[in-house]
Amino acid sequence: MENALAQAVRGDAGAFESIVREHQGMVFSLAYHFLHDRALAEDMAQEVFLHLFRNLRSIQSPEHLMFWLRKVASHRCIDHLRGQQPQTNMDDLPEPAGPTREHDPLLEERLRRLVASLPERARLAVILRYQEELEYHEIAEVMEMPINTVKSNLQRALAVLRGKLARCMGDVPA
C-alpha cells in the first residue's frame, strides 16, 4: 500500500489531512512549550502545515517529514519571538508560599517560566530534549549545529536553570 506522503504529493487531499492529523500534536506541543500560548501555538502549527502543503514535493520520506516539521516549527517559533519584547525577568518573581510536593504545580510553573527565560536557542534545545524527548543527534539536525555544540548548550542551559532555581527556592538541598 502506498504511503500517505506519496499520495499527498500527487494531490490527494485526504492523504494530506491524514498527515496533518498524525503530526499536529507534535507540532503543537513543540510550539506551545516554546511560546507558552495556546492560541499562538495553534496559529504557529497552522502556519507550519500551510508551509508543508506548499513544499510537499521537497519531502523525501516519512522520516524526512518528521525532521522537516520539527525544524520548521522550531524556526518559526524563534522567528516569532525575535519580533517580541523580552519576557519578565525571573529574578523578580516572588518566592513560593509553601513546601514543595512531588507534583507541585507552583514548582512546575516556576520551572516553565525559568525555561522560558533562557535564550532562544538554549530554550529550544531544552524543549527538544526534555519535552519532545529527542536524542542529541536529532536535536543537532533540527537546530543545524554540531552534536557537541548541542551537548554543551544543554549543559550550560541546565546549569543556568539550576542556579536560577536555587536562588528562587533559597538554595534548598537536592
Side-chain angles (χ1 to χ4, degrees), residues 24 27-28 44 47 66 84 126 141 150 153 158 168 172:
Q24 68 187 357
V27 172
F28 173 80
M44 193 68 54
E47 283 182 36
M66 285 288 290
Q84 301 293 311
V126 168
E141 289 177 12
V150 169
N153 283 346
L158 292 176
C168 290
V172 176

Side-chain angles (χ1 to χ4, degrees), residues 111 114-115 118-119 122-123 125-127 129-130 136 150-166:
L111 285 172
L114 288 173
V115 170
L118 290 171
R123 181 179 345 155
V126 168
I127 291 169
R129 178 72 177 137
Y130 298 103
Y136 294 119
V150 169
K151 289 178 182 180
S152 64
N153 283 346
L154 278 169
Q155 257 183 338
R156 281 194 299 274
L158 292 176
V160 167
L161 289 174
R162 282 187 201 100
K164 286 184 175 189
L165 187 58

Side-chain angles (χ1 to χ4, degrees), residues 60-92:
Q60 301 159 2
S61 68
E63 294 78 21
H64 182 236
L65 173 64
M66 285 288 290
F67 167 78
W68 190 94
L69 288 170
R70 283 184 178 127
K71 184 175 178 178
V72 170
S74 299
H75 287 226
R76 291 285 170 110
C77 288
I78 288 173
D79 289 345
H80 174 78
L81 285 183
R82 286 185 178 154
Q84 301 293 311
Q85 293 294 329
Q87 295 190 359
T88 306
N89 183 353
M90 297 313 297
D91 295 329
D92 296 336

Side-chain angles (χ1 to χ4, degrees), residues 109-127:
E109 176 64 16
R110 172 136 317 156
L111 285 172
R112 185 191 67 75
R113 289 183 182 198
L114 288 173
V115 170
S117 74
L118 290 171
E120 296 160 352
R121 293 186 77 71
R123 181 179 345 155
L124 182 58
V126 168
I127 291 169

